[in-house]
Amino acid sequence: MTNAVHVTAGILIPFLGTSLGAACVFFMKGSMRENVQKSLTGFAAGVMVAASVWSLLIPAIDLAAHYGRGAVVPSVAGFWLGILFLLLLDHAIPHLHQFSEEAEGPRSRLARTTMMVLAVTIHNVPEGMAVGVVYAGLLAGTANITPMSALALAVGIAIQNFPEGAIISMPLHAEGQSKWKAFAGGVLSGAVEPLGAAGTLLAIGLVVPAMPYLLSFAAGAMIYVVVEELIPEMSQPPHSDYGTLSFALGFSVMMALDVVLG
């Protein structure tokens, strides 16, 4: 399989995961049970944390090994830039998190359903960048990234995108949207990922020299999403262990994927 085919598949696999999850609206009746939503959110959080460590931060540190003890500097700097970038998006874009009645960001007259889609879209930005940066490294051939390790990241993100698609489309339908409109909302929330990945690849000449910074940037952005959004959602009262156990499962699955495929 050529690198071009690997890259095309890698960009589309996460988007496919979101679309398949959104399609659950056609097969499941009523709204999703709260414990199921917490479990899916916890699973997504676990995948994102594991991907941030094994697929992004560790490779970023390895790439900067020639700095000696300073190898950690690009990773720490990129990580904080990712945190601050998502913080900026969080305050600049009106959005509404799951289980929340109060919108965040600037005041707007956007519909509740639109702001729910925007909330997921915001945290899909770093995932798209992560895929784009990893595949840019694969194409450049200078980042010690193999086709299978890049595929592990793409598959891991696709797995956690599946519940995200369902978490968007099913509540939209429960709030009165038709099944097709709810499905479109779920799909639309994931469209930013292939666009972000493709944009990163187009700038490959600029990306490769800054690879340690960009890998850790994507990690920081994903960790921000997990801590600011996913963990609070999976911990909503009434208390249960579903979210925590699902987090551990998602972490284990992504870790195994990276070790086996990487």
Side-chain angles (χ1 to χ4, degrees), residues 16-57:
L16 178 62
T18 305
S19 301
L20 290 175
C24 287
V25 73
F26 296 113
F27 307 105
M28 299 176 68
K29 295 182 179 180
S31 59
M32 193 179 295
R33 289 169 51 190
E34 190 170 298
N35 282 337
V36 174
Q37 292 191 36
K38 288 182 178 180
S39 297
L40 294 176
T41 301
F43 184 87
V47 169
M48 290 177 73
V49 170
S52 296
V53 175
W54 270 273
S55 298
L56 299 171
L57 285 174

Side-chain angles (χ1 to χ4, degrees), residues 88-101:
L88 176 63
L89 289 185
D90 211 30
H91 286 277
I93 299 175
H95 59 283
L96 181 67
H97 294 306
Q98 189 183 8
F99 303 124
S100 177
E101 294 298 325

Side-chain angles (χ1 to χ4, degrees), residues 5-257:
V5 175
H6 275 294
V7 171
T8 302
I11 289 176
L12 295 179
I13 284 173
F15 181 58
L16 178 62
T18 305
S19 301
L20 290 175
C24 287
V25 73
F26 296 113
F27 307 105
M28 299 176 68
K29 295 182 179 180
S31 59
M32 193 179 295
R33 289 169 51 190
E34 190 170 298
N35 282 337
V36 174
Q37 292 191 36
K38 288 182 178 180
S39 297
L40 294 176
T41 301
F43 184 87
V47 169
M48 290 177 73
V49 170
S52 296
V53 175
W54 270 273
S55 298
L56 299 171
L57 285 174
I58 291 177
I61 293 171
D62 289 343
L63 282 173
H66 60 280
Y67 290 119
R69 291 186 177 181
V72 73
V73 173
S75 297
V76 171
F79 184 85
W80 269 99
L81 286 172
I83 293 285
L84 295 175
F85 176 69
L86 258 291
L87 179 65
L88 176 63
L89 289 185
D90 211 30
H91 286 277
I93 299 175
H95 59 283
L96 181 67
H97 294 306
Q98 189 183 8
F99 303 124
S100 177
E101 294 298 325
E102 185 175 346
E104 297 182 15
R107 291 181 176 272
S108 76
R109 296 183 179 180
L110 294 174
R112 174 184 174 87
T113 52
T114 301
M115 289 194 289
M116 287 176 65
V117 172
L118 283 174
V120 174
T121 301
I122 288 171
H123 82 235
N124 280 339
V125 170
E127 295 169 13
M129 287 187 62
V131 172
V133 170
V134 168
Y135 276 98
L138 173 64
L139 289 176
T142 58
N144 295 323
I145 294 172
T146 67
M148 295 309 289
S149 64
L151 179 63
L153 177 64
V155 170
I157 290 178
I159 290 172
Q160 72 94 28
N161 279 353
F162 182 88
E164 284 184 0
I167 286 170
I168 285 294
S169 66
M170 295 189 67
L172 289 179
H173 180 53
E175 292 188 3
Q177 297 277 355
S178 70
K179 288 187 176 182
W180 279 105
K181 284 187 176 181
F183 171 70
V187 171
L188 182 63
S189 71
V192 68
E193 287 191 20
L195 293 176
T200 304
L201 284 168
L202 289 175
I204 188 170
L206 299 174
V207 168
V208 173
M211 187 69 68
Y213 291 92
L214 292 174
L215 286 168
S216 53
F217 177 96
M222 289 207 289
I223 292 297
Y224 178 93
V225 169
V226 171
V227 175
E228 195 274 339
E229 179 183 343
L230 300 185
I231 289 178
E233 287 180 4
M234 77 184 203
S235 304
Q236 285 284 324
H239 174 72
S240 74
D241 296 322
Y242 289 99
T244 303
L245 292 174
S246 297
F247 176 95
L249 177 61
F251 188 95
S252 300
V253 168
M254 185 62 218
M255 178 174 60
L257 277 174

